[in-house]
Amino acid sequence: MKPAPFGYHRPATIAEAVALLDALQDDVKVLAGGQSLVPLMNFRLSVPAELVDINGIAELTGHDVTGDVLRLGALTRHHELERSATVRGAAPLLALAAPYIGHPQIRSMGTLGGSLSHADPAAELPGIMLALDARMVAASARGERIVPAAEFFVSHFTTALEPDELLTAVEVPVAAERTGHAFLEVAARYGDFALVGAGAAVTVDEDGAITEARIGCTSVAPTPVRAAAAEELLRGATPDADVLAEVERVVAGALEPTPELKASAAYKRRTAGVLVARAVRQAWREAGGDMRGEEAA
Amino acid sequence: MSELSIQHSTRNAADERQRGGSVTHTVKLTVNGVEREVAVEPRMLLADTLRQQCGLTGTHIGCEQGVCGACTVLVDGLPARSCLLFTVAVAGREIETVESLENPDGSLNSLQQSFQDHHGLQCGFCTAGILMSLTALFREEPSPDETTVRDQVQGHLCRCTGYQQLVEAAMAESGRNAQVTR
Amino acid sequence: MIGERRVRREDLRLLRGRGRYVDDIDLPGLAHMAVVRSTQPHALIRGIDTSAAATAPGVLGVYTAADLPEINRPWPVHLAHASLRKTVMRALPDEKVRYVGEPVAVVVAETRYQAEDACELVEVDYEPLPGAGHLRVAMELPVPIHDGIEDNVAAHVTQTTGDVDAALAKAPHVLRETFRINRGGGHSMEGRAVAARYDRAVGEFQVFDATQTPHQIRALIAHCYDLPEEKIRVVAPPDVGGGFGPKAGKYPEEIIVPWLAKLLDRPVKFIEDRYEHFVSCTQEHLQEHEVEVAYDDDGRLLGLKDVFHQDTGAYAPSLIVPLIAGTTVPGPYKIPNLHIEFYSIFTNKVPSSAVRGAGRPQGVYVMERVMDRIADDLGLDPADVRARNLIQEHEFPYPVGLTFRDGSPLTYDSGNYPGLLQKGLDKIDYAHQRELQAKRRAEGALRGIGVSVAVEGVGLGPFEGATVRMESSGRITAIMGAPPQGQGFETTYAQIVSDAFGVDADLVDVVTGDTGAIAYGVGTFASRVMATAGPAMTTAAREVKEKLFQSVAAVLEVAPEDLEIRGSDENTEIGVRGTQVGMPLAQAARMSNVGSPGVTMRAGTVPGLTATSYFNPSSAGYSSSVQIIVVEVDQGTGEVEIVEWVVGHDCGKVINPLLVEGQVLGGIAHGLSNALYEESLYSDDGVPLTTSFLDYPIPSAREFPTIGLYDQETPSPLNPLGVKGAGEAGTLGVPAVIVSAVEDALRPLGVRIATCPLSPGRIGDLIAEAPGR
C-alpha cells in the first residue's frame, strides 16, 4: 500500500513549526520518527493533506539533568533512552522499558515525543510517564504550557494536545535515593505492543519498608492506568507473599480492560495483577529492600 | 491495535480534496558513499527511491507495515525501515544498502561469506535487511553473544530459514572477530 | 557430489543484493497495475463506475469483467474430484463477490502510487448479502455462496477400510472428542508478483511470474485467451522470494496482466503487497475433527473414525488440503479399521489451498492428541503408547487401506519409525527429562514434555522432467521445469548431474522454471521435486554422458569403457585411461553439436549431446519425522518457554545435508508460528480481522531456542536415487508437539487442550478456568 499525496514542510525551529500548525489547521500531522504514523499512512488509514516534519529542529533534541529534573527533548529517540547513562541514572524505568519498545529499527527512528503524542494504549512510554508524574511541555503559536501526565492521556490515541500544539519536551523527576525499578510486559512476540505491561518504581527506607511505590499499567484501558490502590496498599509495607497477593487482587479488581483478538478482558485483568506484583517485588529487591529488615517469603 | 485493523468502508470519492502532492522536491542524499540527487514526490518511500531511481534493487519491500524488516537500510549508521521513511525526510543523510557490503573486487565480505558457509539464507528476500542490521551490530560490538545477535534481528521476519543457520553464520563472524582482536 | 554439504552458488548474487525477483526485472516502458478489491464478504455487484478513475492522473486504463470478455471465461477445475461440486471461477466476477479481497476491477497507471489513487475512485455499488466467517455460520447461511449449492457444502468424501463401527462397538475403551485447528497464510516474504510483455512481432506473451507452477500457469492463460500454449512463455525468474504453497495457486492477476500488456502495448506489472497477501492469497482455514477411537487396555489402536469439517473459503480449486489431512491422520500407527470422512464447506473467505504442510499438520495434530488422551486415560507414558502402535521396520511396504490425494493407494514405501523415535528419546535423554520434570513440578513450575511422530506423503506425480545439454563451451546445462523459491536447485541439481556425469558441479549450470526451455512440467509443491526431477535429471545426464563417450570413443578409436573424464574447470577433458590421449570437453561438444558445415561426421559420432527425460513415480513416497519438546508455562501470564527441542527427520537419501537441514528448520519455524503465534481470524460474517503483521505475529529469531536436529535415512525404493522429500517435514509435527507439551505442563491443573493455536491469552484463560486450580 502506498500513501496518498501530501504537502511537505520542514521547519527549522519550534516557532516555525507551531506557526505551520496554526496556519494549516485541521488536516495536518506532525512527522517525528514516523514509526506509528507512516504505517497508518501506508494503509491510507491516515490521509493528512500536510505533513510537518520536525526532525530538523535542533531545539527538540537532547536530554539533560538540571537539579532534580531530567528534561528530555521530544525528539529523543528510543535508542537513546536505551543507551544513555544520563537516562539510566536519572530515570532507570525509561532505560528498562526501552528494549521492549518495538525492535532495533523502530528504536533508531521512533521518538519519545511521537510515542507520547500518539498515545497508543499498548505503548510502553505513556504508562511510565504516568507513573513518574512527568510533565509534558507543549508549545503552540499561543505560547507554552505544561500538562501533567495525569491529565495528558485522555483516551486511546487521544491526548490533551490541541490540534495546533506540539509536544516539545518531557520533564521527569529524577529518581529518589533507595529507589528500585522494574518493567515487565507480555506481548505476542518480544518487542511487540504490550498485551499487558507494568512498570514500577519503589522507594524504601533503611528498614526495607516501602515509602513510596509508583506503578503504571499499560494496555489495560484506553489510557495508561496508575495503580493507585496498590500504591496506597504498599505504603509502609514490606512486600511479602500476602501483601503481594493483595496487590494482585487489588490491581485486577480495579481494571475493566477492553479485550483484544488474542487477550480476553479477564486475561488482561489477571495478568496486570500478576505483572504488578512481580514488578513491585523486583523493584523492591533492586532498591535493597530485602537486604535490610524482613526477608520476603 | 484496533486502529490498524482495516475498516472496510467504501471511500467516498467526493471527499477528494486539493493536495500539494504533485509537487516534486529535489532531494540530495548520500547512498553508499555516493551523493545522489533525486526528484521525488513527498510521499515517495525511501525504499522505492532506492529501488527505482537509484537502481539499487537489493533492498526489498516485504510489508510496508513496518514489521518484516526486509527493507532495512542504515541511516547514518543506524538500522531503519526504508518503507517507513519518506525520501524527502532523509535529505542530507547517509544511507547504506546491501550493495555497499561486498569487497571492492566483488567478492563476499566476511559476514556475507559466513552466511554462505552456514546456509544463512534460502530465498534471499529478507537477507539484505538482516545483513544491514548485523553490519550495524558488528560495528558497535565486534564479538556479540548469541542473545545479542538474536535481539539485533528480532525486527526481521524470515519465513524460509527458521533463523538457526543464520544465527550460526553471525556467531561464526562474531568468533572470527574475537580472534582478530585478541 | 551427492551427499556433500555444498554451499550454494545462488548465494553469490543473493548476498550481494543482485538477485533477480520479478520486481527487479527491468522492462522499459513498464506500467503498474493495482487492484480494486471487494470490501464486502458477500454481495451482489449492482454496478461499477470507473469514470472518475479513468481520468485520474497517470492512468492508462481501468478494467472490469465487462471490459475483458475475451479472457474472462470460466477456469477449468484445478484438480477434479468426483465429490467436488461444480462452481465457476474466472478472472473477474460479474455478478457477485464472495470474499473481502476478491478482485473486482484493475487499474493500470504510470506508477503504483497513481494506480492506487485511482483505485480509490472506482465506485462499486454492492448489495450486501449475509456473509459467513465460520463454517458453522456457512452451514446455516440463508443465501448460498454458489448457485445451486444450498448447504454451502463443496464436497463430502468418505473413505473406509475394515469395519470401524464394529471395532467401536466391541472395544474395551472408546474416546470421543472434537479437536479444532486453525492456520493461516503462506506469508512468503515476497508476495505474489507477475510482469508481462507482449511481443507483437511474433505474437507471443512473455510472462515473468513468481509462481511455483509455470507450466500450469501457461496452460491456464492459454485456456483463458483461447490460444495455443506455444504463444505463451511463462518464466519463474531465478529468484522467487518463497512460495510455500500459495504461489502454486492460480490467480486473476496472472490472467489479466499479460492481456493488458497486449492491449496497452506496454509491459505491465502487478506486485502484491502484504495487505493483499492477507486478503487475496490462498490460505488454510479452520478444521474441526470429531473423532471416535477404539483402543484396548494396552493402548493399542483398534479403530479410528474421524468426521471433520474443513473451511475451504469462497472457492474450492481442489480438495487437496482435506484429502491430505484425512489421510495423514493414521500416521505411523497400525490401525486396522479406519473411517475418514470430511465435509468441505464454503465460507466468505479467501479460498483455501495448501500452505506448507498442506493439511498434514492438522492430521498429525488430531492423531497425536488421541495418543496423548489414550496415555492419560490408561496412565501410560505418551512415548511408550506411541511406540506400541508404530508400524515396524519389517512391515514395509505398508498399505494403510486408504487412497492418497494423488489417486494411488496410501502405501508407505519405507521407513523406520521406531528407530527414529528411539533416537530422539535418546538424544533428549527422555527418562532424565521426566525426572527433571518431577523436580521442577515439586518446585511449583509448570513443566511439560510433548512427543509427536509424523509421516508425510511426498514425491507426488504425475511427473517432472529434465533436459541436459553439453554446450560447445564444455559446460553442462541442466534444465528443469520445476522452479525454486529458495530450495537451492542451482546447487543440488548441479550436484546430481555432477555425480551422474563425473564432472565438477561447478561446470553445471542449472536452468529452472521456464516453459520456453523445457516442454512439460508440473511444478514445485508438496515436497515432490527431488523425488521426481532428481531421477529425471540423473537419467538425462547419464544419457548425455553415454552419447559423449560413444562419440569420443568412435573418434579416438577406443571402446567407451576405456574413457574417463579428468581434470577440472576449463581443463576438464575426456581421455583414454592410462594415456595422455584425450580432448577437452569443449572440443568433444563442438564435434557433436556443431560439426563442420556440409561435412559428413566421422563414423560413430553421435550428433547432439542432449537428452530429455521425464520421471513419473509409481506412487507417493513417505518421509517421517519425530519431535520431542520440553516447555515451561508461566502460570501467571500463560507464556511458554521452550527448554529443549529435538527434531528428527527421515527423507530418504540426502543430496545436500546443509540444505536439507535448512528445509527442516524452516518448516519447524512455520510450524511453531502455527502453534503459538499466527492465526487468520474473521468476524462471524466474513470480515477479515487480521490483515497486517501487527495483528498476525510471526516469530523472529528472538522467539526460538536452538533446535537439536538428528536424522535417519531409509532410502525410497520408488526412484533410483532413493530420495523422498524434505520441504515440509519440519512443519508437520510442531502444532501437535506444542499442544502436547503445554497440556502436559498444565496436567496437574487438570487442563485439557483441544484447540490450536495457543497464545499467552488462551493459555492464561485455560489456567484460570482449570478444574484443578
Side-chain angles (χ1 to χ4, degrees):
Chain A
M1 303 129 294
K2 308 294 183 189
F6 55 85
Y8 174 78
H9 311 268
R10 192 169 165 105
T13 64
I14 295 178
E16 277 176 43
V18 298
L20 275 168
L21 293 180
D22 184 39
L24 297 171
Q25 287 300 315
D26 293 318
D27 209 356
V28 58
K29 283 270 188 203
V30 170
L31 177 68
Q35 303 302 289
S36 299
L37 178 62
V38 183
L40 290 174
M41 291 179 69
N42 285 349
F43 269 111
R44 299 200 181 203
L45 284 175
S46 178
V47 282
E50 311 288 337
L51 221 58
V52 173
D53 177 355
I54 59 171
N55 288 283
I57 303 176
E59 300 157 272
L60 296 175
T61 63
H63 57 277
D64 54 28
V65 174
T66 313
D68 56 2
V69 172
L70 166 66
R71 185 185 165 96
L72 300 141
L75 281 183
T76 304
R77 311 274 167 184
H78 302 319
H79 80 93
E80 292 178 74
L81 294 179
E82 226 183 327
R83 284 147 211 255
S84 159
T86 307
V87 170
R88 198 163 37 253
L93 203 46
L94 286 176
L96 282 174
Y100 287 91
I101 304 174
H103 311 289
Q105 299 98 313
I106 290 173
R107 297 198 285 275
S108 299
M109 293 287 142
T111 67
L112 175 67
S115 176
L116 297 176
S117 305
H118 188 59
D120 189 324
E124 292 78 7
L125 293 174
I128 291 171
M129 293 310 176
L130 189 65
L132 299 180
D133 282 318
R135 287 143 48 90
M136 319 301 186
V137 182
S140 71
R142 297 167 279 116
E144 192 180 86
R145 67 181 179 121
I146 308 281
V147 182
E151 292 162 34
F152 188 76
F153 304 102
V154 169
S155 184
H156 54 147
F157 305 103
T158 316
T159 68
L161 290 174
E162 298 292 335
D164 65 342
E165 274 185 313
L166 179 69
L167 183 62
T168 57
V170 180
E171 295 179 344
V172 176
V174 169
E177 294 267 300
R178 284 200 304 265
T179 303
H181 302 81
F183 183 83
L184 298 171
E185 178 181 288
V186 176
R189 305 176 311 150
Y190 190 81
D192 282 355
F193 284 101
L195 291 175
V196 189
V202 172
T203 312
V204 300
D205 64 21
E206 307 87 43
D207 303 314
I210 295 174
T211 56
E212 185 179 61
R214 295 167 163 283
I215 304 166
C217 295
T218 237
S219 205
V220 293
T223 65
V225 168
R226 188 84 183 255
E231 293 180 356
E232 190 54 46
L233 203 76
L234 287 164
R235 195 155 299 136
T238 306
D240 59 23
D242 291 330
V243 169
L244 289 174
E246 185 64 11
V247 161
E248 201 178 311
R249 215 185 46 76
V250 149
V251 167
L255 294 172
E256 278 180 28
T258 324
E260 291 186 35
L261 280 181
K262 296 287 208 179
S264 66
Y267 173 81
K268 288 194 170 206
R269 196 181 295 125
R270 282 188 320 261
T271 311
V274 168
L275 291 186
V276 167
R278 289 182 186 176
V280 164
R281 176 151 167 76
Q282 220 174 291
W284 176 76
R285 293 183 75 176
E286 201 208 49
D290 66 353
M291 304 284 236
R292 323 159 203 226
E294 294 161 36
E295 183 66 46
Chain B
M1 271 297 283
S2 57
E3 184 157 326
L4 281 166
S5 302
I6 303 292
Q7 303 305 308
H8 294 284
S9 56
T10 327
R11 295 201 178 279
N12 186 351
D15 205 36
E16 188 65 31
R17 53 201 128 165
Q18 189 61 32
R19 291 164 183 279
S22 53
V23 172
T24 303
H25 292 235
T26 304
V27 177
K28 281 203 179 88
L29 32 109
T30 307
V31 182
N32 297 336
V34 175
E35 194 180 84
R36 302 249 196 180
E37 197 175 278
V38 292
V40 294
E41 274 187 280
R43 63 171 167 166
M44 184 85 161
L45 299 171
L46 176 62
D48 286 325
T49 299
L50 290 171
R51 290 178 52 77
Q52 292 165 28
Q53 286 171 292
C54 301
L56 297 167
T57 56
T59 302
H60 303 129
I61 297 175
C63 74
E64 286 168 337
Q65 300 170 347
V67 179
C68 81
C71 69
T72 301
V73 297
L74 300 185
V75 178
D76 292 337
L78 292 172
R81 303 187 192 280
S82 62
C83 73
L84 297 187
L85 288 168
F86 297 116
T87 311
V88 290
V90 292
R93 301 188 74 172
E94 300 222 7
I95 314 292
E96 292 171 272
T97 70
V98 65
E99 287 89 345
S100 70
L101 297 181
E102 67 197 55
N103 295 326
D105 66 355
S107 59
L108 303 180
N109 79 4
S110 177
L111 178 63
Q112 290 168 317
Q113 187 59 57
S114 212
F115 265 62
Q116 186 188 37
D117 293 341
H118 292 267
H119 191 40
L121 66 155
Q122 292 179 25
C123 82
F125 201 76
C126 73
T127 307
I130 289 176
L131 288 173
M132 297 321 289
S133 283
L134 287 174
T135 297
L137 174 62
F138 283 119
R139 282 179 188 166
E140 202 184 310
E141 210 181 319
S143 304
D145 63 19
E146 187 172 323
T147 304
T148 307
V149 165
R150 286 182 183 266
D151 270 347
Q152 184 72 0
V153 298
Q154 58 170 274
H156 290 275
L157 296 182
C158 172
R159 198 55 150 171
C160 292
T161 66
Y163 311 102
Q164 187 150 312
Q165 291 167 312
L166 162 186
V167 170
E168 279 168 20
M171 288 311 295
E173 177 72 357
S174 175
R176 234 191 318 277
N177 290 341
Q179 293 192 324
V180 165
T181 53
R182 213 174 284 144
Chain C
M1 292 300 288
I2 286 182
E4 183 194 347
R5 293 180 74 88
R6 193 180 176 85
V7 301
R8 297 192 328 171
R9 185 192 295 187
E10 37 273 80
D11 292 354
L12 293 172
R13 65 175 184 271
L14 294 175
L15 287 164
R16 293 159 68 223
R18 296 180 201 289
R20 285 157 290 160
Y21 304 85
V22 169
D23 199 25
D24 302 337
I25 297 173
D26 184 28
L27 297 169
L30 188 64
H32 298 257
M33 188 173 95
V35 180
V36 179
R37 298 186 180 280
S38 171
T39 55
Q40 301 290 321
H42 196 197
L44 298 173
I45 300 172
R46 285 292 176 221
I48 307 178
D49 182 356
T50 61
S51 53
T55 57
V59 171
L60 300 166
V62 186
Y63 308 88
T64 66
D67 301 306
L68 300 172
E70 313 94 310
I71 62 163
N72 210 25
R73 54 177 58 85
W75 296 359
V77 179
H78 172 67
L79 181 60
H81 191 282
S83 311
L84 181 56
R85 294 160 89 174
K86 297 217 173 336
T87 60
V88 173
M89 271 185 94
R90 53 171 100 235
L92 287 175
D94 48 12
E95 287 173 357
K96 70 188 246 186
V97 290
R98 294 178 172 88
Y99 61 99
V100 170
E102 184 167 13
V104 169
V106 302
V107 173
V108 181
E110 297 290 349
T111 71
R112 173 72 184 226
Y113 290 72
Q114 288 170 322
E116 288 191 21
D117 293 342
C119 282
E120 291 194 323
L121 299 175
V122 173
E123 295 200 28
V124 185
D125 185 11
Y126 293 110
E127 186 183 302
L129 299 169
H134 192 284
L135 54 86
R136 299 284 163 198
V137 174
M139 287 159 71
E140 310 286 323
L141 203 64
V143 177
I145 294 170
H146 292 278
D147 285 343
I149 305 179
E150 302 300 317
D151 53 7
N152 285 324
V153 174
H156 176 203
V157 178
T158 304
Q159 284 202 62
T160 64
T161 191
D163 186 345
V164 135
D165 290 324
L168 286 167
K170 298 196 306 245
H173 306 272
V174 173
L175 152 76
R176 288 186 176 84
E177 194 166 345
T178 298
F179 299 107
R180 288 185 179 77
I181 175 166
N182 196 9
R183 293 189 77 195
H187 288 290
S188 47
M189 285 302 115
E190 180 205 34
R192 296 180 296 122
V194 56
R197 58 181 163 204
Y198 181 68
D199 187 334
R200 285 189 187 283
V202 294
E204 276 178 15
F205 292 90
Q206 187 178 36
V207 185
F208 298 98
D209 191 344
T211 176
Q212 295 172 230
T213 55
H215 287 83
Q216 292 187 43
I217 294 294
R218 180 179 69 170
L220 182 61
I221 294 174
H223 166 88
C224 288
Y225 295 3
D226 196 19
L227 283 179
E229 288 189 14
E230 308 86 73
K231 291 298 183 185
I232 298 155
R233 180 176 175 193
V234 178
V235 179
D239 300 311
V240 170
F244 310 118
K247 287 179 178 172
K250 314 290 177 292
Y251 296 90
E253 294 89 342
E254 292 169 295
I255 305 305
I256 296 168
V257 163
W259 190 253
L260 295 184
K262 179 181 177 189
L263 277 189
L264 295 170
D265 199 17
R266 286 177 61 172
V268 175
K269 174 161 82 176
F270 165 71
I271 304 296
E272 178 191 63
D273 64 34
R274 188 57 49 184
Y275 169 71
E276 292 177 297
H277 191 87
F278 272 101
V279 300
S280 71
C281 194
T282 59
Q283 305 180 10
E284 286 186 23
H285 301 302
L286 179 71
Q287 292 186 17
E288 294 186 340
H289 291 247
E290 290 167 39
V291 163
E292 291 178 74
V293 183
Y295 54 104
D296 67 17
D297 296 323
D298 295 322
R300 267 177 244 275
L301 297 157
L302 301 171
L304 182 146
K305 184 176 201 178
D306 182 2
V307 178
F308 69 99
H309 289 77
Q310 176 247 358
D311 179 341
T312 187
Y315 294 89
S318 76
L319 294 175
I320 292 169
V321 172
L323 283 171
I324 294 176
T327 51
T328 299
V329 171
Y333 306 114
K334 284 187 278 206
I335 314 178
N337 303 290
L338 287 169
H339 175 112
I340 308 287
E341 182 179 344
F342 71 82
Y343 295 85
S344 189
I345 310 292
F346 289 119
T347 60
N348 294 109
K349 299 178 180 176
V350 63
S352 171
S353 190
V355 173
R356 193 169 202 167
R360 299 181 194 80
Q362 293 92 323
V364 173
Y365 162 79
V366 168
M367 192 69 235
E368 296 301 286
R369 295 282 62 229
V370 166
M371 300 314 272
D372 282 342
R373 289 283 183 273
I374 292 174
D376 195 34
D377 183 42
L378 299 177
L380 297 172
D381 178 271
D384 209 23
V385 161
R386 287 165 169 83
R388 289 177 195 195
N389 283 283
L390 288 177
I391 295 161
Q392 298 298 301
E393 215 186 336
H394 61 271
E395 290 179 298
F396 292 91
Y398 182 85
V400 176
L402 303 173
T403 302
F404 190 44
R405 80 75 146 190
D406 69 336
S408 67
L410 185 60
T411 306
Y412 301 155
D413 55 344
S414 67
N416 180 1
Y417 311 142
L420 195 63
L421 175 60
Q422 191 57 50
K423 204 166 170 183
L425 295 170
D426 293 340
K427 186 172 168 79
I428 206 172
D429 199 349
Y430 185 75
H432 180 57
Q433 294 295 343
R434 285 290 178 199
E435 282 168 19
L436 285 175
Q437 179 185 37
K439 179 161 164 291
R440 286 293 290 152
R441 277 181 170 159
E443 291 166 1
L446 296 174
R447 178 175 280 219
I449 303 176
V451 179
S452 74
V453 187
V455 174
E456 173 194 0
V458 297
L460 306 183
F463 64 84
E464 204 56 63
T467 295
V468 174
R469 246 187 354 233
M470 174 139 262
E471 306 290 357
S472 298
S473 59
R475 295 187 64 79
I476 299 174
T477 302
I479 302 169
M480 52 196 288
Q485 305 82 38
Q487 299 89 332
F489 288 2
E490 285 173 42
T491 304
T492 51
Y493 289 91
Q495 287 175 261
I496 287 175
V497 170
S498 138
D499 226 57
F501 217 100
V503 297
D504 270 0
D506 286 332
L507 281 181
V508 182
D509 301 310
V510 179
V511 172
T512 59
D514 183 350
T515 64
I518 183 165
Y520 312 113
V522 180
T524 304
F525 53 92
S527 307
R528 66 181 294 276
V529 179
M530 186 50 81
T532 53
M537 192 67 84
T538 305
T539 302
R542 286 196 185 136
E543 280 178 28
V544 174
K545 179 183 181 177
E546 224 180 87
K547 290 185 182 183
L548 171 72
F549 273 50
Q550 262 185 278
S551 238
V552 174
V555 164
L556 293 182
E557 292 172 351
V558 295
E561 307 81 68
D562 298 333
L563 292 170
E564 63 178 5
I565 295 189
R566 56 201 184 201
S568 63
D569 302 325
E570 322 79 61
N571 300 318
T572 309
E573 64 162 30
I574 175 165
V576 184
R577 195 175 294 108
T579 77
Q580 301 278 47
V581 177
M583 66 170 80
L585 282 185
Q587 184 185 337
R590 280 197 300 279
M591 205 172 72
S592 282
N593 297 340
V594 183
S596 298
V599 177
T600 305
M601 282 178 139
R602 288 194 48 180
T605 320
V606 179
L609 295 181
T610 181
T612 297
S613 177
Y614 291 90
F615 180 80
N616 57 317
S618 54
S619 77
Y622 291 86
S623 296
S624 50
S625 59
V626 164
Q627 310 234 4
I628 308 173
I629 199 167
V630 180
V631 305
E632 280 198 2
V633 177
D634 183 324
Q635 188 156 357
T637 66
E639 291 168 295
V640 176
E641 184 204 335
I642 299 170
V643 178
E644 286 277 357
W645 195 353
V646 305
V647 177
H649 63 98
D650 181 346
C651 57
K653 186 99 192 78
V654 172
I655 307 298
N656 185 329
L658 180 65
L659 271 52
V660 166
E661 281 163 22
Q663 290 300 306
V664 175
L665 288 165
I668 291 170
H670 198 138
L672 185 68
S673 193
N674 286 137
L676 287 177
Y677 296 94
E678 66 182 276
E679 188 179 4
S680 190
L681 294 169
Y682 289 75
S683 70
D684 277 346
D685 57 349
V687 175
L689 300 174
T690 50
T691 55
S692 91
F693 284 141
L694 294 142
D695 299 313
Y696 186 93
I698 291 177
S700 73
R702 185 66 171 68
E703 277 72 49
F704 284 88
T706 301
I707 295 161
L709 287 184
Y710 68 98
D711 69 344
Q712 180 183 270
E713 267 188 28
T714 57
S716 172
L718 297 175
N719 64 74
L721 286 174
V723 298
K724 296 182 180 177
E728 293 162 281
T731 313
L732 270 47
V734 181
V737 85
I738 291 283
V739 172
S740 176
V742 171
E743 185 182 81
D744 192 48
L746 304 182
R747 199 176 305 281
L749 302 176
V751 169
R752 293 293 176 271
I753 304 178
T755 58
C756 186
L758 300 174
S759 63
R762 287 225 173 108
I763 295 172
D765 285 343
L766 283 170
I767 292 171
E769 292 150 18
R773 260 213 113 172

